[in-house]
Amino acid sequence: MLKILKYSFYDLMRSRWSYVYFAFYLLLGMVLLFLNNNLSKAVITLMNVIIVLVPLIGTIFGVMYYYNSKEFTELLLAQPLKRSSIFLGQYFGVAISLSMSLILGLGIPFIFYGLFKSSAIWDFSLLLITGTFLTFIFTALAFNIALSYENKIKGFGFAILLWLFLAIIYDGLFLMSLILFEDYPLDKLSLVGTMLNPIDLSRTLILLKLDISALLGYTGAIFKKFFGTNFGLIISFTTLVIWIILPILRIVTKSKKKDF
Amino acid sequence: MTRIFLFLFVICIMTFANYAQNIEVCETCPISSLQQAILQAKDFDTIILKKGTYKEHNISIDKPLTILGKDYPLIDGELKGEVITIIADSVTVDGLFIINVGTSYTEDYAAIRVKRSNHFIIQNLVLEKLFFGIYLEKSNYGRVYHNKIIGNAVEEYNSGNGIQLWYSNHIEIENNHVEHVRDGIYLEFSNDCLIKNNVSTENLRYGLHFMFSNNDVYQDNTFENNGAGVAVMFSKKIKMLNNTFQENWGTASYGMLLKEINDAEIKGNTFKENTIGINIEGSNRINYLHNNFESNGWAIKVRGACYGNHFIENNFLYNSFDISYNSKVNDNTFDKNYWSNYTGYDLNKDGIGDVPYRPVKLFSYIVNRTPETIILLRSLFIDVIDFSEKVSPVFTPNNLLDNNPLTKQIVW
């Protein structure tokens, strides 16, 4: 598996798209710092970008890589290699190279700007950690979709739909259900609803570090009490890890059964 | 001739004898307690209290005296009750250190109480371990200046206020520092008072609390990190100028709470990092001018029954919500404010945005209705519905617009 991982990783490192992705984040980080002149404000703007763009790019890139390297995969399948190690190697190759582009692309301009001397360093590291989690989650989901559909168009369609659902539609349904059941105590429901969607969970985690005064309103206090404590933080990260493990398990089982 | 000299001499002697004398009190002097000194003193005498510890309580000042502490003599009330009660006009108390005021659930014991007396001056005191600090009761034309009040209040029901005014008019409260009491400064039925340059922090309830008090001015004060901020209630014609309200965080916390306030002027204040900057309820004809609202959860929360208010030339900077309304009716005007969330353009470069700004977001309306939805703050979906509401308002007041939003932050 490690050999395939290494191969995929170097293959991607040499590819144009990784550089584009890296350059995009580098530019974004620099422009934000240049316009804002303030680390904490830049971190807030960056949060919006990461919450929306990282899952999108992870999904699209994952699907694209799978379909593009399909012939090579078939060649590998002809060799005496374990199926799970082929697909996991490819998956981790993609996910790690994407995470690296994200961390380096955003990290370099912030470090030059004096991140280590700033108090925003914890907010910033949390931002990068959740960004990495989101990359891993959405690349895994993308591989799942690509494995399930031979048809490229169908695969891309479902991948985009998945992103659209988790990034936007889910929140709409969530909001509707909260308003619909407003006569009932909702704090448990809203906590569970947030936990179930990795994008919402990441957003809430970062938000509690930034918009504290708003969230400390009388309902916000409940969320702060949950997400703000170590217990809440551990639960949140555990949920994110589960969000990575479940799709990976499905990649393994699906790839074993799949007829190429 | 000699008779005239003699007469003058006698006059001189008499005035000297009658005129203000100094009485010294110290632990080893013939007069070793303040109460004893007051008994012996004549009107308009000065009692000088030397450094030392005086274990006394229920000291009653019943003549016009000046009580002057040298190097902060300590008066220890031993938790037995009230420490000093002033019941005469023209009393000055200066430079004392008073601790251990008794706590009672039936009487409001204070470190210093002024009772039905006028023209008093209370200054340079340090009060610690107290129930009530300075309590002015039906006393007018006084001055409370440069005192430091440090309480140790833990619960609201068994703690008192730092400076309390009750039916006291024309009082000046300046340069005081109040912390860790229930209400920092509390005014009830007190008119024409001036509250200036005070610092009120870490109090259990309000930093400043107005009830039924009209025509008062408070300016240049700092209210920080209080349980619920500053409350101004049931009062008319109050001027609030150049104050700073910050870090009043909590589940029901405000920078300033306005309830049933009419014809007030709120000018040049800074509201920074509060859960709610100003909470307005049933307040009419108030002018908000030149205020800074910075990094609050809600800059202004309008609860209802607020008519004829004008918000002109304020800065709204990086608040999670600028304005929140809970109804569709609007009778307040917003004009020439700077909104950091404004996204319009200014083609003719006159510093005024060409597109009106809608300060009320649909999401703030939703949060008002179902508070739990706050968890969706900054979600992409919320941005989408906010945008569509901005384009064609359905739920938020249609006429709530700033027609001349400024494109640059206002500096005064």
Side-chain angles (χ1 to χ4, degrees):
Chain A
M1 185 178 109
L2 277 177
K3 233 177 202 154
I4 294 163
L5 191 160
K6 218 162 102 188
Y7 183 79
S8 302
F9 183 71
Y10 283 128
D11 177 36
L12 278 164
M13 281 286 99
R14 263 177 279 141
S15 88
R16 202 167 20 153
W17 287 109
S18 289
Y19 287 115
V20 170
Y21 192 49
F22 170 70
F24 167 72
Y25 277 117
L26 200 67
L27 199 71
L28 183 77
M30 286 200 300
V31 167
L32 275 181
L33 286 173
F34 178 70
L35 288 179
N36 272 316
N37 268 323
N38 182 337
L39 268 181
S40 322
K41 296 272 150 54
V43 169
I44 294 180
T45 321
L46 215 55
M47 184 203 80
N48 284 329
V49 175
I50 284 201
I51 293 302
V52 176
L53 278 187
V54 165
L56 180 65
I57 291 173
T59 323
I60 301 290
F61 212 82
V63 174
M64 211 165 68
Y65 185 82
Y66 178 86
Y67 286 131
N68 270 351
S69 59
K70 204 168 175 195
E71 281 168 16
F72 175 64
T73 314
E74 275 164 13
L75 180 79
L76 281 178
L77 284 170
Q79 310 299 319
L81 282 169
K82 258 171 80 185
R83 274 192 172 192
S84 64
S85 62
I86 295 173
F87 288 100
L88 284 186
Q90 283 184 346
Y91 161 68
F92 280 115
V94 175
I96 289 172
S97 74
L98 282 180
S99 311
M100 240 180 68
S101 302
L102 171 78
I103 291 170
L104 289 181
L106 286 181
I108 289 171
F110 274 79
I111 284 170
F112 276 121
Y113 200 77
L115 175 73
F116 290 118
K117 287 178 212 140
S118 163
S119 57
I121 185 157
W122 291 112
D123 298 346
F124 187 73
S125 2
L126 186 69
L127 202 70
L128 288 187
I129 290 170
T130 44
T132 312
F133 266 116
L134 284 177
T135 308
F136 272 85
I137 291 169
F138 279 86
T139 316
L141 290 174
F143 263 73
N144 266 302
I145 289 170
L147 269 169
S148 309
Y149 296 99
E150 280 296 305
N151 188 338
K152 270 188 196 179
I153 304 295
K154 247 187 182 173
F156 268 108
F158 271 102
I160 299 247
L161 198 68
L162 175 84
W163 171 79
L164 206 63
F165 178 78
L166 287 178
I168 301 179
I169 300 168
Y170 182 87
D171 284 352
L173 296 174
F174 190 17
L175 183 68
M176 296 270 273
S177 60
L178 284 180
I179 291 176
L180 208 62
F181 297 112
E182 64 181 354
D183 296 337
Y184 300 92
L186 286 174
D187 33 297
K188 289 263 166 56
L189 177 71
S190 48
L191 279 182
V192 171
T194 316
M195 283 296 201
L196 287 181
N197 182 347
I199 295 186
D200 273 354
L201 187 57
S202 318
R203 184 174 46 79
T204 314
L205 273 179
I206 301 169
L207 213 61
L208 277 169
K209 285 262 175 279
L210 304 176
D211 280 84
I212 277 179
S213 40
L215 283 161
L216 274 178
Y218 56 104
T219 40
I222 300 161
F223 302 131
K224 175 76 189 156
K225 227 180 235 163
F226 183 77
F227 289 106
T229 57
N230 282 335
F231 172 72
L233 210 65
I234 289 167
I235 295 250
S236 312
F237 279 120
T238 318
T239 318
L240 285 176
V241 170
I242 290 172
W243 262 104
I244 298 176
I245 290 173
L246 285 182
I248 288 180
L249 286 179
R250 195 167 172 275
I251 291 178
V252 174
T253 50
K254 188 85 192 167
S255 61
K256 268 183 193 149
K257 282 186 203 144
K258 193 171 157 80
D259 193 13
F260 283 93
Chain B
M1 196 64 188
T2 42
R3 262 201 291 176
I4 292 170
F5 267 117
L6 197 67
F7 179 69
L8 279 175
F9 183 69
V10 169
I11 294 254
C12 272
I13 294 276
M14 278 173 69
T15 46
F16 190 67
N18 261 333
Y19 202 66
Q21 269 188 324
N22 285 355
I23 299 176
E24 283 200 355
V25 182
C26 63
E27 280 167 291
T28 49
C29 299
I31 302 170
S32 63
S33 81
L34 184 56
Q35 186 68 68
Q36 207 183 337
I38 292 165
L39 278 174
Q40 294 195 1
K42 297 196 183 68
D43 287 3
F44 302 106
D45 278 359
T46 300
I47 296 173
I48 295 172
L49 217 57
K50 292 269 176 73
K51 193 175 172 68
T53 306
Y54 303 89
K55 295 202 166 158
E56 291 181 71
H57 62 275
N58 289 338
I59 304 165
S60 164
I61 303 175
D62 51 0
K63 4 184 141 147
L65 298 173
T66 300
I67 294 172
L68 194 67
K70 279 260 152 63
D71 303 320
Y72 287 99
L74 179 73
I75 300 180
D76 186 349
E78 298 180 284
L79 302 172
K80 281 179 183 157
E82 195 145 289
V83 181
I84 295 178
T85 314
I86 297 171
I87 48 174
D89 287 353
S90 309
V91 173
T92 302
V93 180
D94 189 344
L96 304 178
F97 183 10
I98 303 174
I99 64 165
N100 292 335
V101 180
T103 303
S104 157
Y105 295 95
T106 50
E107 265 182 86
D108 293 342
Y109 290 139
I112 291 207
R113 176 189 297 271
V114 185
K115 225 169 173 175
R116 294 166 198 270
S117 311
N118 299 331
H119 305 290
F120 54 87
I121 298 173
I122 296 173
Q123 61 186 5
N124 303 325
L125 302 184
V126 180
L127 313 178
E128 276 181 25
K129 292 186 189 154
L130 47 100
F131 186 45
F132 279 79
I134 298 168
Y135 198 125
L136 312 179
E137 185 184 323
K138 297 201 170 177
S139 304
N140 306 316
Y141 300 102
R143 187 168 150 85
V144 178
Y145 180 78
H146 197 267
N147 301 293
K148 194 169 189 178
I149 302 173
I150 299 169
N152 48 357
V154 183
E155 277 153 334
E156 262 182 39
Y157 68 90
N158 61 1
S159 51
N161 304 327
I163 299 173
Q164 170 144 351
L165 277 67
W166 189 65
Y167 283 109
S168 297
N169 305 324
H170 303 282
I171 309 285
E172 284 173 29
I173 302 173
E174 272 185 66
N175 291 56
N176 299 288
H177 181 105
V178 188
E179 63 176 70
H180 288 113
V181 289
R182 187 175 59 192
D183 287 349
I185 301 170
Y186 180 50
L187 279 80
E188 198 170 342
F189 306 109
S190 297
N191 306 325
D192 305 300
C193 296
L194 172 70
I195 301 169
K196 197 173 167 184
N197 275 330
N198 301 289
V199 178
S200 182
T201 65
E202 323 243 345
N203 296 303
L204 279 191
R205 199 167 61 183
Y206 300 121
L208 174 71
H209 191 176
F210 272 88
M211 279 290 201
F212 316 106
S213 302
N214 306 325
N215 296 317
D216 299 310
V217 179
Y218 70 96
Q219 61 184 62
D220 304 304
N221 302 292
T222 303
F223 305 102
E224 198 178 325
N225 207 356
N226 295 301
V230 168
V232 188
M233 301 188 189
F234 306 99
S235 304
K236 285 178 204 148
K237 294 188 182 160
I238 292 187
K239 285 199 171 118
M240 314 171 205
L241 315 168
N242 304 327
N243 300 291
T244 305
F245 306 78
Q246 61 186 5
E247 285 173 44
N248 296 296
W249 281 3
T251 49
S253 196
Y254 317 98
M256 181 152 76
L257 167 69
L258 298 181
K259 194 174 164 66
E260 308 290 333
I261 300 296
N262 294 325
D263 305 297
E265 191 179 326
I266 298 173
K267 194 174 169 186
N269 301 290
T270 301
F271 299 85
K272 200 175 172 188
E273 293 177 14
N274 304 292
T275 300
I276 298 172
I278 307 185
N279 189 70
I280 313 170
E281 205 172 330
S283 300
N284 309 312
R285 300 180 298 280
I286 299 177
N287 292 324
Y288 298 82
L289 277 168
H290 300 191
N291 299 295
N292 273 323
F293 297 90
E294 203 180 328
S295 307
N296 301 293
W298 285 263
I300 295 175
K301 205 164 191 171
V302 181
R303 297 276 195 189
C306 297
Y307 305 103
N309 300 301
H310 302 287
F311 300 84
I312 295 163
E313 294 182 356
N314 302 291
N315 283 323
F316 291 85
L317 309 168
Y318 320 110
N319 304 296
S320 296
F321 299 101
D322 287 329
I323 314 277
S324 140
Y325 260 64
N326 61 356
S327 71
K328 278 182 75 172
V329 188
N330 173 42
D331 188 44
N332 307 314
T333 54
F334 295 85
D335 203 21
K336 291 191 187 132
N337 298 293
Y338 171 76
W339 313 87
S340 63
N341 290 338
Y342 181 59
T343 49
Y345 44 83
D346 177 21
L347 286 183
N348 53 5
K349 305 223 158 127
D350 57 353
I352 292 169
D354 299 347
V355 189
Y357 179 71
R358 286 189 181 281
V360 179
K361 299 236 160 56
L362 174 60
F363 186 46
S364 80
Y365 172 83
I366 294 171
V367 170
N368 257 337
R369 217 182 110 170
T370 320
E372 284 82 2
T373 52
I374 186 84
I375 202 149
L376 291 169
L377 181 71
R378 283 180 195 277
S379 148
L380 190 58
F381 179 76
I382 297 300
D383 291 346
V384 171
I385 61 167
D386 272 347
F387 179 75
S388 58
E389 175 74 12
K390 197 165 91 178
V391 176
S392 58
V394 181
F395 297 98
T396 52
N398 197 9
N399 62 345
L400 206 162
L401 289 169
D402 188 336
N403 279 313
N404 302 304
L406 301 183
T407 49
K408 285 235 162 64
Q409 189 177 335
I410 313 160
V411 185
W412 301 283

